[in-house]
Amino acid sequence: KRLRDDLAPLRGRLETWPLMIIAEAESNRRFRGVYVALTVLRSHLSEKPRVVATTPFLKNNLTAYAAGLQMMLGNLASAEQHLQALAEGSPDRALGTVRLALLKGAPERASRMLDDAFLGHLTRRQRCDYLLLSAAVSWQVGFRKEALNDFLAAIPQMEQACGFGRLSIVPYDTLLGLAQAAAESGDSKALEQVTELPENLRYQQYEQLSPAELRTVEALVENQPLEQ
């Protein structure tokens, strides 16, 4: 509430709306969970359709943030739709697509996509995301030394620029492994942040459904009897 009151004088400025919406949604995500954050985001977008007329850069940030919330909820199909709305070749689209492949349990494909992506100039937040995703992907494919190097490079970036909240963009089990390896190498800052990460900010990576499980889900959607 205090954040909303402090930002109230800026509400008339069109270009600030995406940042205000993200700030309020992020505050809710940290203290009330991802679903509430997404509800706040949708509510503001429906109340203020004029936000879509803002600058392309901030509109891009808003869409990328919405995609990230959908990933946190496990709504990967919705996340993919948001990513496809981003400009072709934009860093957020490239990084989001890599993250999506990782969360789908395809780290090898995510690694190839990361190698092939032309990212160009990155903002400080995008640089943090790149290092964390690169570390997580390398860790999952077994390149532990490269993963640790990227993770150690991400730590000062998070300290100085984008904050340790970016840790929640990668699966928690992988994140914990990276933080423990960093602590063993002499840098325990990240391990403290990771172990104190609230449950609602820990992304749990689930295995993909088997063909039999997918057939079962499709049968339920078609209203087939439970016995069948």
Side-chain angles (χ1 to χ4, degrees):
K1 182 179 183 300
R2 189 164 72 184
L3 174 65
R4 189 166 56 244
D5 293 342
D6 290 345
L7 294 175
L10 301 177
R11 287 181 181 273
R13 294 180 56 187
L14 179 63
E15 71 275 14
T16 65
W17 265 100
L19 297 180
M20 292 171 63
I21 291 173
I22 290 173
E24 186 172 347
E26 187 64 8
S27 177
N28 276 277
R29 181 178 80 98
R30 290 174 180 273
F31 296 106
R32 301 174 66 192
V34 181
Y35 182 77
V36 175
L38 188 59
T39 301
V40 168
L41 187 68
R42 287 172 171 166
S43 172
H44 279 304
L45 290 177
S46 63
E47 291 172 1
K48 296 289 182 181
R50 63 194 180 97
V51 75
V52 299
T54 189
T55 62
F57 176 75
L58 294 181
K59 180 183 177 184
N60 182 80
N61 282 359
L62 192 60
T63 304
Y65 180 74
L69 290 181
Q70 294 286 5
M71 290 186 210
M72 288 288 290
L73 283 174
N75 296 337
L76 302 187
S78 296
E80 189 168 10
Q81 290 178 348
H82 279 86
L83 292 174
Q84 289 173 351
L86 298 174
E88 187 79 32
S90 69
D92 276 326
R93 178 168 177 165
L95 292 171
T97 305
V98 169
R99 183 184 175 196
L100 197 59
L102 177 67
L103 298 181
K104 285 182 176 181
E108 293 84 2
R109 181 156 57 91
S111 180
R112 291 193 300 270
M113 294 166 64
L114 202 56
D115 288 339
D116 294 341
F118 176 73
L119 296 174
H121 176 71
L122 299 179
T123 66
R124 290 182 296 179
R125 188 262 304 165
Q126 291 166 346
R127 179 65 179 167
C128 286
D129 289 2
Y130 171 81
L131 289 170
L132 288 170
L133 286 171
S134 181
V137 168
S138 296
W139 187 266
Q140 289 199 10
V141 298
F143 298 148
R144 298 299 171 91
K145 182 178 179 180
E146 292 84 350
L148 180 57
N149 288 339
D150 282 335
F151 190 69
L152 288 173
I155 293 173
Q157 294 280 335
M158 289 185 287
E159 282 185 305
Q160 300 165 15
C162 56
F164 283 97
R166 303 312 299 169
L167 289 169
S168 62
I169 73 168
V170 297
Y172 185 76
D173 288 346
T174 298
L175 186 63
L176 184 59
L178 285 164
Q180 289 171 337
E184 291 170 4
S185 72
D187 193 334
S188 61
K189 299 186 194 74
L191 183 57
E192 296 171 8
Q193 296 289 337
V194 169
T195 54
E196 293 175 1
L197 202 63
E199 288 289 337
N200 62 0
L201 298 185
R202 299 181 181 186
Y203 189 93
Q204 302 302 324
Q205 186 175 10
Y206 300 101
E207 295 181 5
Q208 294 295 289
L209 295 180
S210 68
E213 289 168 332
L214 285 171
R215 288 197 301 273
T216 302
V217 172
E218 290 169 357
L220 290 171
V221 171
E222 294 169 357
N223 295 318
Q224 292 187 25
L226 189 58
E227 292 75 9
Q228 288 184 311

